[in-house]
Amino acid sequence: MTQRPAPRPAPRKTPPPALKSKAGQPANAPCATCQKQQPRKVPPCDFDKLEFSCKHCGVPDKREIASVAFWLDQGRGKIMTNQKHSPNKRNPAVTDRFEVIDPDTIKVKASGGPGYSPGHPALTIQPPMSLGPVKVLRGPVHEVAVSYEPNWFKNRLANVTRIGFFAGLRQFFFPPPAVWVFTMAACGARPAPQRKAFYSWKHKVAVYPPDIFKIGLSLPSVRKREKASSWGKEGKVRYDNTSSSDTRGLARTSQSTKEEMRTSGNTELYRRTESVGNKHGTVTQTQQLGTIRGRDYSSDKYEASDAPDGRALATAKSFTFTRNGKDWTQSFKAAEFIEFLMNLRKQILGLIEFFKALGNKMPKIGWTFSVEVEVFAGSLEYEWGYKEWPKNHTVYKYYKVEVALTLVSAKAEIAFGLELLSAKAQVYGAVTGELKLTFSREANPDRTGPAGTVSVPPSVGGEIGVRGALGDWVEVVGKINAGFEGAATMELGPFSLKANFDLAPGKGTFTAKSKLFFSVTKQATLWEKRPIWARTIL
Amino acid sequence: MTIPVSTVDYLNVSIHGYACEVFVNRAPILRTPVDAPYTAIPSVSEWLVGGDNEIAVRIDAIAPPAATADPLSPRRLIVQRCVGPLGEIVPAGEDQPIDGLTYAPAPDDPTPTLPLRIAYEFRLPQGPTWAWQTAARLSLDAATTAELLMFLDALHADLVFGDIPGLLSRQRIKFAELAPLYGMTPASARAGLLQQFTELSKDGAWTVEPLRPDDVVLHLCCDGRVVEPRTRDDRPVLRGQAADGNAWSLPVFISRVDGMFEVVR
Ligand SMILES: [Zn+2]
Ligand SMILES: [Zn+2]
Ligand SMILES: [Zn+2]
């Protein structure tokens, strides 16, 4: 029960005027009798109780409540209500509106009270702007058809091309309701000694779209590996730079690789073009690596095949979008999503440049790096829409998710030289990190537990070692802290998938164990933190 | 003109999941933690002798099996004897092992009784005879212990007062035997130590941890001919802070040679 002070008798908003009296006088113009009397005597006109219900109220397996009622408690001088609230403390109590799914019929019923002036009580219905003009209905009981924006789906679908894949998709994640304002009003005049009046009650009806949507992602495992190495020997001019890529595991696809090498004077340019795709289209990755006057240059870019809408077709099977069971996938440029994923992958492959910069600080020791990445392998099915909650007057965000998705699986193998404790040393080893979401869950509005958020840290592995030149030696005190860090967070109502994934700084405490001198123990940073991702993916 | 490449004997140690101590001819070389991977390439020429040699590992603790195996950081116990060029970096994975030991019990093997000692022997052609090989066998009775603590106290005093000549006089054998192994002459090594001390103690910012006899554990090794003092938590007894904020330490191995205690390693 909520307690709400009854509206004070004055000042009052004017209710819709009472109808003309039989005497033919305008409703608001006092007659001669009234003008003589001070104060004017108003005929009793008020109700005791107001009830809101939709067509599902009291229907088995639909809504357990018969109605939401508000009534005037003369003794307490308050308006009381039977509104029920969610047992989940995280769900805010909905007190100002009745929530339904389009299409529905709202029954408003006023009862009790001392009677009404002619044409009272009056129900004023203010639909959302796009759904028609304000209407006034007279009498104590009304049934009003309410709806959501018609054509809302097609209108938004038409936006997709313009606003792009992500914003286009997000439009359908639990759009806001159409809010109808219902105001039931009487004069609020009661015979003495009743001092409190109900007078007027404004309540909103929030209408939600009925659609159940589903997106599916089913992405093959594609591991991408990049390798670079440079081994130089002191006193020798010749350096050997190599780079290779190999892609494995993409089912039912062709793959081609083209390599070019140009040499002129002390400039070498290496160009490798790799195409991966299936019969519908291809995605091409081009990598360039050059050695110009002993320095490395590289670039990386992605291109679409020329086949019309090739990538959309190629990825149509990877991404699906349905509304009420009907497939609308073709309305989305899923290629944009795939491109986005490839960019995520590229951001991780960019680690190789980060490491190369480290390795080039002491080129005489030589370096070798490989970064192997898989992004978005596995499957995700997410179904969502609004549903009326059977236990009260609210609508809840229904969702059902089944996910077995590796957001990222990365492995970096490194070996490079640096100066550690005033001596040359080699850092070597491999680190792995994997962000994986595997669970299934369905919205349960009765649940009192935590909100629909799932967050997982990466599982990490590998190890990094350090060795100095032979003679005095380096001992690692404890463990070298290195590897990947971050989290994958999935929100379920509405859906969002966020990930952050970084290369943690390589840090450790090292002792240079001297054979003849003092040994020295020092903390050292082998490399600084390298942020890779911090973003919303969907 | 060819410059003879001097080589050094070293161990390629790669251990994970075992708390161990690694020995060469019963001299302790290093200890590994049970809960972190350990890799190192300590040089050990000064502990190898002509004739029969032994490399041993004492396992003191075994980590419980990991919930998920990490193929890039597996449980292992590998100690390989290698030879490589002095002063050069041998990239990881390019060590040339001569021999070595590996402990890899089968998953269904019974848990061994700890400590477990694993060792192997190998023969080297005749080489130098080190002072520690013929040093007096010690027993850590009260008198010897007191005498060793007095010797440590003298070393400690040299460090406190920055008396490097005094410190060097007690390390005569170590410098004479090790300098040639590590590409120096005893004189250049002494000069190098003095220069390093000058840097570490710049502006008088050199501190020495107090010597606490109750925290000194004397480890008798090499069949009683060598003693290594360590703290209870296996740190060098002689240690402190240097001017640059880093920690310095001076691990020592002591033998009684011709009746006198000397730092031999
Ligand atoms: Zn009148
Ligand atoms: Zn309903
Ligand atoms: Zn009225």
Side-chain angles (χ1 to χ4, degrees):
Chain A
M1 301 277 156
T2 55
Q3 294 81 45
R4 181 187 284 241
R8 289 185 307 169
R12 289 171 167 173
K13 282 179 291 175
T14 313
L19 294 180
K20 278 181 182 179
S21 72
K22 277 176 183 160
Q25 287 181 335
N28 285 330
C31 62
T33 318
C34 294
Q35 276 175 313
K36 279 183 200 162
Q37 289 170 345
Q38 285 296 337
R40 186 177 69 130
K41 188 164 176 164
V42 181
C45 178
D46 203 12
F47 45 88
D48 286 345
K49 188 178 181 184
L50 199 55
E51 286 170 276
F52 293 86
S53 58
C54 76
K55 67 182 177 193
H56 307 105
C57 287
V59 177
D61 298 331
K62 301 281 187 184
R63 274 193 155 144
E64 291 169 15
I65 55 166
S67 68
V68 167
F70 303 94
W71 64 91
L72 176 64
D73 185 319
Q74 278 293 350
R76 297 182 200 178
K78 283 174 178 167
I79 304 288
M80 309 298 288
T81 180
N82 65 349
Q83 276 176 336
K84 272 188 65 166
H85 299 297
S86 168
N88 190 340
K89 295 272 185 288
R90 288 164 190 268
N91 288 348
V94 174
T95 57
D96 65 334
R97 61 194 188 274
F98 194 99
E99 300 186 323
V100 296
I101 302 292
D102 167 284
D104 210 334
T105 303
I106 298 294
K107 183 176 177 184
V108 183
K109 181 184 171 193
S111 57
Y116 303 105
S117 322
H120 273 188
L123 177 66
T124 305
I125 299 150
Q126 187 187 347
M129 201 95 86
S130 60
L131 292 178
V134 174
K135 269 192 281 185
V136 177
L137 304 174
R138 296 181 185 278
V141 183
H142 300 282
E143 290 198 359
V144 180
V146 292
S147 58
Y148 194 64
E149 304 165 38
N151 301 321
W152 81 276
F153 175 72
K154 293 222 164 140
N155 291 344
R156 291 184 188 209
L157 199 65
N159 292 337
V160 170
T161 314
R162 182 171 45 83
I163 65 178
F165 178 85
F166 295 97
L169 184 60
R170 266 183 225 119
Q171 294 181 107
F172 302 104
F173 289 154
F174 299 109
V179 178
W180 298 56
V181 183
F182 281 46
T183 309
M184 183 66 114
C187 296
R190 288 191 170 254
Q194 294 180 24
R195 296 178 48 187
K196 300 291 176 188
F198 208 129
Y199 170 54
S200 158
W201 191 256
K202 182 161 127 182
H203 207 61
K204 290 174 203 158
V205 173
V207 185
Y208 293 84
D211 308 272
I212 298 295
F213 294 96
K214 190 171 179 175
I215 51 171
L217 283 177
S218 175
L219 298 155
S221 170
V222 182
R223 287 193 84 82
K224 176 85 186 161
R225 185 155 185 261
E226 299 237 336
K227 247 173 100 175
S229 64
S230 160
W231 291 108
K233 277 258 164 79
E234 228 163 320
K236 284 190 181 177
V237 190
R238 194 175 147 272
Y239 277 77
D240 181 24
N241 287 277
T242 63
S243 176
S244 71
S245 303
D246 62 81
T247 303
R248 298 186 295 267
L250 187 67
R252 292 174 283 111
T253 59
S254 62
Q255 184 179 340
S256 74
T257 307
K258 194 173 75 184
E259 289 179 82
E260 294 167 52
M261 179 76 98
R262 276 206 314 256
T263 310
S264 63
N266 55 1
T267 302
E268 273 179 33
L269 200 65
Y270 169 89
R271 185 190 176 97
R272 181 191 179 91
T273 307
E274 186 189 349
S275 300
V276 180
N278 58 20
K279 62 181 175 178
H280 299 297
T282 57
V283 178
T284 302
Q285 178 176 11
T286 303
Q287 187 186 38
Q288 274 191 352
L289 275 167
T291 309
I292 299 166
R293 291 183 183 86
R295 288 185 62 190
D296 286 343
Y297 293 89
S298 72
S299 71
D300 223 348
K301 63 175 180 176
Y302 295 86
E303 288 167 357
S305 74
D306 295 335
D309 217 11
R311 283 180 302 168
L313 287 164
T315 55
K317 285 173 197 139
S318 308
F319 171 79
T320 55
F321 178 94
T322 64
R323 174 200 184 220
N324 304 327
K326 185 175 184 306
D327 186 61
W328 291 92
T329 306
Q330 295 309 318
S331 304
F332 288 85
K333 289 198 284 185
E336 203 182 311
F337 180 60
I338 299 302
E339 198 166 327
F340 171 78
L341 296 185
M342 291 185 75
N343 254 306
L344 290 179
R345 186 171 82 178
K346 204 168 86 176
Q347 280 172 289
I348 298 174
L349 290 172
L351 275 179
I352 212 159
E353 297 303 319
F354 170 73
F355 285 128
K356 270 161 81 176
L358 287 177
N360 282 334
K361 285 182 188 166
M362 204 174 272
K364 283 175 182 171
I365 295 179
W367 46 258
T368 175
F369 302 108
S370 92
V371 175
E372 195 175 313
V373 177
E374 180 181 34
V375 295
F376 269 76
S379 64
L380 164 72
E381 281 194 353
Y382 176 69
E383 187 179 76
W384 77 97
Y386 290 108
K387 289 191 175 179
E388 289 183 0
W389 189 29
K391 301 228 163 116
N392 73 1
H393 58 283
T394 63
V395 153
Y396 70 96
K397 287 168 178 163
Y398 159 80
Y399 61 79
K400 187 174 165 184
V401 64
E402 267 180 59
V403 58
L405 194 63
T406 300
L407 274 75
V408 55
S409 171
K411 174 177 160 186
E413 287 181 87
I414 60 169
F416 65 98
L418 48 63
E419 194 179 285
L420 182 70
L421 300 152
S422 308
K424 58 183 177 176
Q426 192 205 24
V427 177
Y428 61 93
V431 289
T432 57
E434 188 173 77
L435 272 177
K436 200 170 181 174
L437 287 166
T438 304
F439 65 93
S440 58
R441 189 174 289 184
E442 194 172 334
N444 179 357
D446 299 350
R447 201 166 42 118
T448 53
T453 302
V454 177
S455 190
V456 297
S459 57
V460 294
E463 62 181 67
I464 295 293
V466 166
R467 55 166 59 188
L470 291 180
D472 290 354
W473 57 289
V474 176
E475 184 169 61
V476 180
V477 183
K479 195 186 176 188
I480 296 175
N481 173 45
F484 294 99
E485 58 188 23
T489 304
M490 191 181 273
E491 300 276 350
L492 300 172
F495 183 84
S496 77
L497 177 57
K498 290 176 186 146
N500 60 298
F501 193 64
D502 303 318
L503 181 70
K507 280 184 181 173
T509 303
F510 306 92
T511 299
K513 295 254 191 179
S514 181
K515 288 294 171 184
L516 287 148
F517 305 153
F518 295 104
S519 293
V520 174
T521 300
K522 185 183 181 176
Q523 289 185 355
T525 300
L526 308 175
W527 64 79
E528 301 292 341
K529 176 176 174 154
R530 164 82 171 185
I532 305 172
W533 298 350
R535 59 187 315 154
T536 297
I537 292 167
L538 272 177
Chain B
M1 188 186 74
T2 51
I3 302 160
V5 179
S6 65
T7 58
V8 65
D9 303 274
Y10 68 97
L11 302 182
N12 181 28
V13 178
S14 184
I15 295 174
H16 189 194
Y18 301 95
C20 302
E21 186 156 24
V22 175
F23 300 86
V24 172
N25 290 327
R26 299 176 193 269
I29 306 300
L30 58 85
R31 286 157 294 283
T32 67
V34 73
D35 56 353
Y38 184 100
T39 57
I41 48 166
S43 40
V44 294
S45 296
E46 68 271 31
W47 294 110
L48 296 178
V49 300
D52 290 329
N53 288 267
E54 182 203 67
I55 287 175
V57 176
R58 191 192 64 236
I59 302 173
D60 294 317
I62 301 177
T68 50
D70 181 353
L72 293 175
S73 184
R75 177 191 292 268
R76 78 268 180 185
L77 196 169
I78 301 162
V79 179
Q80 294 171 329
R81 180 170 67 98
C82 309
V83 175
L86 178 67
E88 293 287 317
I89 287 192
V90 178
E94 294 181 21
D95 305 283
Q96 300 293 329
I98 299 161
D99 48 38
L101 66 81
T102 299
Y103 178 64
D108 51 354
D109 280 3
T111 311
T113 308
L114 299 178
L116 175 67
R117 192 171 185 279
I118 309 154
Y120 78 97
E121 290 184 357
F122 54 93
R123 256 191 97 72
L124 290 177
Q126 217 51 44
T129 301
W130 306 115
W132 61 262
Q133 290 177 260
T134 54
R137 282 177 187 266
L138 302 172
S139 68
L140 291 177
D141 52 33
T144 309
T145 301
E147 217 180 326
L148 275 164
L149 287 172
M150 278 175 62
F151 180 73
L152 272 180
D153 198 41
L155 283 167
H156 186 260
D158 291 340
L159 291 163
V160 170
F161 296 115
D163 181 1
I164 299 305
L167 183 72
L168 284 166
S169 72
R170 297 177 220 278
Q171 302 191 77
R172 196 180 40 83
I173 292 174
K174 172 178 164 181
F175 274 63
E177 291 185 344
L178 264 65
L181 290 178
Y182 293 104
M184 287 177 272
T185 62
S188 67
R190 284 194 293 269
L193 180 74
L194 186 58
Q195 192 197 333
Q196 187 198 20
F197 175 77
T198 306
E199 281 165 27
L200 295 177
S201 63
K202 203 166 48 189
D203 305 324
W206 162 268
T207 65
V208 184
E209 285 284 312
L211 187 67
R212 292 175 43 218
D214 61 340
D215 191 34
V216 175
V217 180
L218 299 170
H219 295 265
L220 202 56
C221 50
C222 303
D223 304 317
R225 297 181 198 276
V226 179
V227 171
E228 189 197 13
R230 297 201 295 258
T231 64
R232 291 188 184 279
D233 56 359
D234 285 324
R235 288 185 296 161
V237 164
L238 303 171
R239 64 188 198 282
Q241 294 290 313
D244 57 8
N246 297 324
W248 66 265
S249 60
L250 185 66
V252 289
F253 292 86
I254 301 162
S255 292
R256 197 198 289 276
V257 179
D258 298 331
M260 301 280 286
F261 281 130
E262 298 261 7
V263 175
V264 293
R265 291 290 177 267

